[in-house]
Amino acid sequence: MAVVHHATREERLAAALVEAADTLSESFDTGEYLRRLSDRCVELLSAWAAGVMLIDGDDIVSLAGSGLGGREAMALELLAAQRNGGPCKESYGSGRTVAPVAISVAHADGRWPEFTEQALRHGVVATFAVPVRRRDALLGALNVFVPTLPNSASDGGSSEVSVARALADAAALGLWNQRAHAQYRSLAGQLQNALSSRVRIEQAKGMLAERWQVGVDEAFGALRGYARRHRLPMERVARAVIERDLGDAELREP
């Protein structure tokens, strides 16, 4: 009889960390990536729901959530309720973990009023948040919503926060690398376009110089003059010359 191997929590965590760091894909989608990260949080932590908020300065740029038993909508609602303050905003602002806190206590203390009112309506007992950061660069925060308040390391409190922090750190690395990858691809594309444009201009100069039996400087002057008169990019004029869409008379018009 075959033995079925059930992955341990450590194995599932290791797989989730690798998945979070693997972002160098041409088809990368930030929203799908954050939803998958939220899924892993719910799977690995004793949580009803979890969500990720990416922040740039004072602006929330992306939200994603996941939850057990159809609680994804709840996670998104609780993230959206933090626009004026909440665990995510606090963790992002300080760059530190917001330790597990009872929603009722936070509400009684006037801490995050809008958020705690929403959380109480959904029956969330406690929450905590960890920053999504790459060295000194803060990208956002990961928020976890739990049905019981972890009181100490003995009941898994410290362990849950540590797992969340590891996932957030891996996500920060993945997001940072993906942004750098996208920037390099964009720069490479710009350089390639500039090179292609230059090649077309040189080709057009050579064609005109040979056809008119003149120097390349005179041929280039004709290209540049036409581009200026008609307010066109040089590359576009060169392409028209190469494709025979622009006649000599038009190029040499005074």
Side-chain angles (χ1 to χ4, degrees):
M1 178 182 295
V3 177
V4 178
H5 173 71
H6 296 284
T8 65
R9 190 190 192 203
E10 289 75 15
E11 290 172 332
R12 289 184 287 122
L13 174 59
L17 294 176
V18 171
E19 182 182 61
D22 184 14
T23 56
L24 301 186
S25 168
E26 302 296 325
S27 59
F28 179 83
D29 180 86
T30 301
E32 177 59 31
Y33 173 81
L34 296 179
R35 281 191 294 273
R36 198 163 58 244
L37 177 66
S38 302
D39 288 341
R40 300 298 174 261
C41 289
V42 173
E43 292 170 8
L44 290 163
L45 306 174
S46 302
W48 271 358
V52 186
M53 178 186 293
L54 296 187
I55 308 172
D56 184 6
D58 293 328
D59 299 325
I60 298 173
V61 296
S62 188
L63 298 175
S66 177
L68 295 174
R71 290 191 176 94
E72 179 180 347
M74 180 195 80
L76 291 172
E77 185 178 329
L78 292 177
L79 290 173
Q82 298 184 48
R83 294 186 182 277
N84 297 318
C88 281
K89 281 292 191 74
E90 185 170 313
S91 182
Y92 172 80
S94 67
R96 298 179 179 178
T97 297
V98 173
V101 58
I103 297 296
S104 58
V105 172
H107 185 68
D109 292 341
R111 188 179 181 187
W112 321 314
E114 183 179 348
F115 165 76
T116 52
E117 287 178 11
Q118 294 275 17
L120 287 173
R121 277 201 289 271
H122 286 293
V124 177
V125 174
T127 188
F128 63 89
V130 295
V132 177
R133 65 183 301 165
R134 173 64 176 153
R135 298 195 179 113
D136 294 331
L138 285 160
L139 307 179
L142 168 62
N143 204 175
V144 181
F145 310 106
V146 291
T148 59
L149 177 64
N151 294 315
S152 66
S154 62
D155 64 8
S158 293
S159 173
E160 301 299 297
V161 173
S162 296
V163 169
R165 190 181 297 118
L167 288 169
D169 288 345
L173 175 62
L175 290 168
W176 188 264
N177 288 342
Q178 198 281 326
R179 289 182 182 182
H181 179 61
Q183 289 172 353
Y184 291 144
R185 277 187 0 194
S186 176
L187 178 59
Q190 292 171 10
L191 292 174
Q192 182 60 52
N193 287 337
L195 178 60
S196 299
S197 175
R198 188 63 192 174
V199 167
R200 279 190 285 271
I201 291 171
E202 293 297 323
Q203 185 179 357
K205 281 167 51 178
M207 289 177 62
L208 292 179
E210 181 180 2
R211 194 160 74 223
W212 295 349
Q213 295 298 299
V214 298
V216 290
D217 289 341
E218 184 176 338
F220 179 72
L223 287 171
R224 182 174 58 189
Y226 185 90
R228 287 178 175 175
R229 288 194 301 275
H230 297 274
R231 297 181 181 179
L232 294 172
M234 278 285 289
E235 190 275 338
R236 182 173 170 184
V237 176
R239 187 191 296 271
V241 169
I242 294 168
E243 296 176 355
R244 307 283 183 175
D245 292 331
L246 189 57
D248 293 351
E250 296 171 285
L251 284 167
R252 285 178 153 174
E253 68 184 5

